[in-house]
Amino acid sequence: MDNIIEVKNAVYEYVDEETTHRAVDNVSFNIERGSFTVILGHNGSGKSTLAKLLNGLFKPTDGDVLVDGINTRDEDTEIEVKRKVGMVFQNPDNQLVASIVEEDVAFGPENLGLEPKVIRERVDDALKSVGMYDFRESTPHRLSGGQKQRVAIAGIIAMQPECLILDEPTAMLDPVGRKEIIETLHKLNKEKNITVVLITHYMEEAENADRVMVMNDGVIIDDNTPKEIFKNVSLLKSVGLSVPQTTELLYTLKQEGFDISTDVLSIKETAQAIAKSLEEK
Ligand code: ADP
Ligand code: MG
């Protein structure tokens, strides 16, 4: 298996004078190169702490995190790790630095000391890949939340990372903006083969992922395909997550005695499952 990230018994503790808080508690998993993984968890479950461990921003209190085989503890290779793993955060306003979209996207490549011609190519390519090329001369504050977040993603893509980690990138967006971001991430994953690790508390965003990990209280409590994860409605509810409405509906119908498949996720599949169940009656 070709893993871009390996997490081995990672622990992270926040320590102040009086207290020690273990936010990540002995977690181990690998992220396969080219995969699309969603990490689900409610507030305070340790998602952001874990995200910071994955790109070396935090060093584990115990255990190890390897990025493309490089231990994030190794100070000589810190920059290499940060280049391989790009981070996108919740608030696009905090991530945009320039007053023109294309200047903002150029900021990272400029800092890498690339030639102007290469920078131009990377900026154009990054903006096209997130569907924001037509807005290259706009000013970010005129854009919608979803558009701003796509520009922020372009700024990271322009550095050509192998892996993108997004920490609740849709939390501040409206449903349209959220959909734009999720579609953009799937496009980047398929067309550019960028490994995606999407952290969210919106279950619907996990629907098309290769894999879903559920985090609670610093540990990974479930790790499977979306369909398998969503079958476990009671576990998800017990950790404060609400399942997609389609799953909830099928689950309830089944409890009411309907002979119905709960092995579906999309609205279309759900409609078909209900139709089939009615036909058979
Ligand atoms: P999430 O992103 O899932 O909301 P976090 O990783 O931000 O979770 O936080 C996990 C736990 O660690 C929470 O209980 C939170 O209160 C605690 N925590 C986060 N940041 C700090 C900090 N700087 N100092 C002390 N505790 C923290
Ligand atoms: Mg968080």
Side-chain angles (χ1 to χ4, degrees):
M1 193 85 91
D2 183 15
N3 294 318
I4 179 75
I5 297 176
E6 292 168 71
V7 181
K8 299 178 178 176
N9 303 105
V11 170
Y12 191 85
E13 289 175 345
Y14 292 100
V15 183
D16 63 26
E17 299 96 55
E18 288 116 50
T19 56
T20 298
H21 182 82
R22 190 174 276 223
V24 172
D25 188 7
N26 198 15
V27 162
S28 299
F29 62 87
N30 297 325
I31 300 288
E32 195 184 342
R33 202 184 303 270
S35 62
F36 195 117
T37 303
V38 166
I39 301 178
L40 274 177
H42 72 97
N43 275 345
S45 57
K47 304 181 302 295
S48 294
T49 308
L50 181 63
K52 288 173 188 146
L53 286 171
L54 298 183
N55 88 328
L57 211 59
F58 285 178
K59 316 288 177 222
T61 309
D62 209 348
D64 292 290
V65 176
L66 308 186
V67 171
D68 214 2
I70 304 169
N71 196 311
T72 59
R73 290 179 186 283
D74 193 344
E75 285 173 17
D76 300 335
T77 44
E78 253 177 10
I79 293 172
E80 221 175 305
V81 166
K82 295 222 167 63
R83 261 192 220 175
K84 284 179 190 286
V85 182
M87 283 276 260
V88 175
F89 298 96
Q90 200 175 90
N91 190 344
D93 289 322
N94 295 343
Q95 299 171 82
L96 303 179
V97 288
S99 55
I100 305 290
V101 164
E102 61 183 4
E103 284 172 12
D104 197 278
V105 178
F107 189 77
E110 274 166 3
N111 278 335
L112 295 178
L114 300 168
E115 285 183 32
K117 186 173 163 283
V118 178
I119 296 175
R120 179 81 255 166
E121 282 167 9
R122 285 208 187 182
V123 169
D124 288 350
D125 181 59
L127 281 170
K128 282 175 191 163
S129 70
V130 300
M132 287 299 290
Y133 183 70
D134 291 346
F135 293 87
R136 63 193 177 281
E137 286 169 0
S138 304
T139 173
H141 71 252
R142 291 254 188 90
L143 304 176
S144 72
Q147 290 172 327
K148 282 188 210 171
Q149 193 61 296
R150 282 189 283 151
V151 172
I153 293 171
I156 305 296
I157 294 300
M159 316 262 275
Q160 298 188 340
E162 291 204 38
C163 177
L164 259 187
I165 298 177
L166 305 103
D167 190 0
E168 305 210 37
T170 62
M172 305 186 76
L173 308 181
D174 61 18
V176 174
R178 280 166 50 193
K179 195 154 170 270
E180 284 170 15
I181 296 303
I182 302 308
E183 285 173 2
T184 301
L185 295 177
H186 279 287
K187 183 168 176 273
L188 291 169
N189 175 246
K190 286 205 185 72
E191 293 175 7
K192 289 191 176 288
N193 203 31
I194 293 176
T195 310
V196 174
V197 179
L198 168 64
I199 294 167
T200 183
H201 62 262
Y202 294 116
M203 304 271 256
E204 311 84 69
E205 296 181 359
E207 200 175 288
N208 296 314
D210 297 318
R211 172 186 183 192
V212 180
M213 291 196 267
V214 182
M215 201 168 180
N216 187 50
D217 218 359
V219 298
I220 307 289
I221 58 162
D222 209 352
D223 182 350
N224 215 320
T225 59
K227 276 187 179 165
E228 289 302 318
I229 293 283
F230 291 138
K231 275 186 193 169
N232 211 341
V233 173
S234 49
L235 176 77
L236 294 170
K237 286 191 161 178
S238 74
V239 297
L241 292 165
S242 52
V243 294
Q245 286 175 337
T246 50
T247 307
E248 179 96 51
L249 174 63
L250 296 174
Y251 184 72
T252 312
L253 285 171
K254 194 161 190 132
Q255 281 184 327
E256 293 290 328
F258 274 76
D259 178 18
I260 198 161
S261 168
T262 51
D263 190 23
V264 298
L265 278 176
S266 71
I267 290 174
K268 194 170 175 200
E269 286 172 326
T270 305
Q272 285 164 350
I274 295 171
K276 188 157 175 277
S277 151
L278 291 174
E279 262 169 32
E280 284 166 3
K281 270 206 158 199

